[in-house]
Amino acid sequence: MQTIALHTRIAAGHEQDYEREHAVIPSDLDAALRRAGVGSWRIWRDGRDLFHVVEVEDYRAMRRALAEDPANLAWQEHINAFLEVADSYAGDDDGIPLVWALPEQAPTPGGGAA
């Protein structure tokens, strides 16, 4: 399972529209995301900036699958009206690169800090 971070931006004045539309997503979109290998998709908002964390089997394969999925195409057409930049679903990105993560195991005493 991959954990992918993404950043998008809401178009000015559409913050509440974006949140309203995400209160409940269409059931066919939910099914499409799951078929494409998505285990979890969470979105945080800071002003107009959106930060997504996606847990997915294969991010690029998911993007390719959703690029032609009717449920996703309908959702993208709808939700892109509220975003500053529409997602092309070209499928050639890897999300935001990870810079640092707290190690699963604490360093051994005397091991130094990163």
Side-chain angles (χ1 to χ4, degrees):
M1 189 72 71
Q2 294 177 292
T3 300
I4 303 294
L6 305 168
H7 173 258
T8 54
R9 190 164 170 83
I10 300 172
H14 288 287
E15 297 86 349
Q16 298 311 312
D17 298 323
Y18 186 88
E19 287 198 17
R20 179 191 67 237
E21 296 304 312
H22 279 82
V24 177
I25 66 165
S27 59
D28 60 343
L29 177 62
D30 182 290
L33 291 168
R34 293 174 193 279
R35 274 193 313 274
V38 176
S40 171
W41 193 313
R42 295 171 288 166
I43 304 171
W44 288 263
R45 181 169 79 83
D46 181 19
R48 292 176 40 219
D49 291 300
L50 300 168
F51 302 93
H52 310 242
V53 174
V54 184
E55 293 179 357
V56 60
E57 291 173 18
D58 180 328
Y59 177 69
R60 285 189 173 202
M62 181 259 317
R63 301 271 291 164
R64 288 189 301 272
L66 293 176
E68 300 297 325
D69 187 283
N72 185 57
L73 290 171
W75 176 255
Q76 293 305 318
E77 183 178 345
H78 175 70
I79 206 67
N80 282 335
F82 307 121
L83 295 175
E84 198 167 83
V85 176
D87 189 343
S88 71
Y89 269 78
D92 57 356
D93 72 290
D94 292 314
I96 299 170
L98 178 66
V99 174
W100 180 86
L102 181 68
E104 290 185 29
Q105 296 291 322
T108 58

